[in-house]
Amino acid sequence: MASQLNLYKFNDIYDKTYSDILKYVIIKCHNIDDTKDIMQEIYLELWNILNKKELLDINIKSYLIGIANHKIKKHYTLLQKIKTVSLFEKNDKDIELIDTLEDDLDMNHIIIEQDNWDTIWKYIKKKKNQDIPKVFYLYYVWDCTIKEIANLLNVKESYVKHLIYRTLRELQDHFGNGGYSND
């Protein structure tokens, strides 16, 4: 009987918090491929806690973020935590060059079928700079604005624009209009 109540409570918490916790983990992870494992660990720990003690619904999301922080720190070594920061050159008018690029690429035109998206997503996830898959996921799946993504990742908007535009151009070069490269 207690196990059934715990299952009901777990499912309720999971349904109410999953998307926010997933967004948080995506932002904090160094490699987007680690997200599924970390999410599984977070909710497994929640299940174990529910079977040991009574949790109040007050601030349950904050509680799960605490678990997420612990799981993320545990998942990564000190060497994986070091990030490099890209610098942007400015032109003679003190405007970052990335802000002068026009967005003439249509992501929907590049991604016509689910198979194409899967291939493109695998390609993006393999990028050395793991901010790229984070930005693409937040921008194209969660429909976050560039400003929201910059705030979530604690970076400049121009950096987010740079990642999107540069990667879109690379995708267009690599995949063309639906064709595949052998690279």
Side-chain angles (χ1 to χ4, degrees), residues 44-53 55 63 67:
L44 178 61
E45 183 159 328
L46 173 65
W47 175 253
N48 291 334
I49 291 169
L50 285 174
N51 285 314
K52 291 180 185 174
K53 65 181 180 178
L55 284 181
Y63 187 75
I67 293 173

Side-chain angles (χ1 to χ4, degrees), residues 102-149:
E102 292 183 28
D103 182 15
D104 59 349
L105 296 176
D106 181 6
M107 187 63 168
N108 292 328
H109 184 28
I110 295 173
I111 303 168
I112 296 172
E113 299 173 13
Q114 184 63 36
D115 290 341
N116 290 354
W117 169 250
D118 292 341
T119 303
I120 289 169
W121 183 239
K122 286 176 188 174
Y123 179 82
I124 290 171
K125 287 192 321 183
K126 290 180 183 178
K127 299 305 239 170
K128 185 175 180 179
N129 180 350
Q130 283 294 294
D131 284 345
I132 295 170
K134 290 178 190 181
V135 166
F136 266 69
Y137 193 84
L138 292 169
Y139 191 71
Y140 289 106
V141 177
W142 286 93
D143 291 324
C144 292
T145 65
I146 290 173
K147 185 174 186 165
E148 290 170 333
I149 296 168

Side-chain angles (χ1 to χ4, degrees), residues 51-118:
N51 285 314
K52 291 180 185 174
K53 65 181 180 178
E54 182 69 24
L55 284 181
L56 300 175
D57 285 341
I58 301 170
N59 294 328
I60 194 71
K61 199 179 297 184
S62 297
Y63 187 75
L64 286 172
I65 286 175
I67 293 173
N69 280 329
H70 174 73
K71 295 299 181 183
I72 291 167
K73 286 177 186 173
K74 185 177 175 185
H75 193 81
Y76 292 107
T77 65
L78 182 60
L79 291 176
Q80 289 173 317
K81 290 181 183 178
I82 298 172
K83 290 176 73 177
T84 58
V85 177
S86 298
L87 300 175
F88 297 97
E89 293 182 32
K90 294 186 177 189
N91 65 13
D92 56 330
K93 295 179 182 174
D94 203 33
I95 297 174
E96 291 182 345
L97 295 177
I98 191 67
D99 290 333
T100 63
L101 293 176
E102 292 183 28
D103 182 15
D104 59 349
L105 296 176
D106 181 6
M107 187 63 168
N108 292 328
H109 184 28
I110 295 173
I111 303 168
I112 296 172
E113 299 173 13
Q114 184 63 36
D115 290 341
N116 290 354
W117 169 250
D118 292 341

Side-chain angles (χ1 to χ4, degrees), residues 12-23:
D12 185 51
I13 292 169
Y14 182 88
D15 292 340
K16 289 178 181 175
T17 62
Y18 185 82
S19 62
D20 290 333
I21 301 302
L22 176 61
K23 212 182 281 187

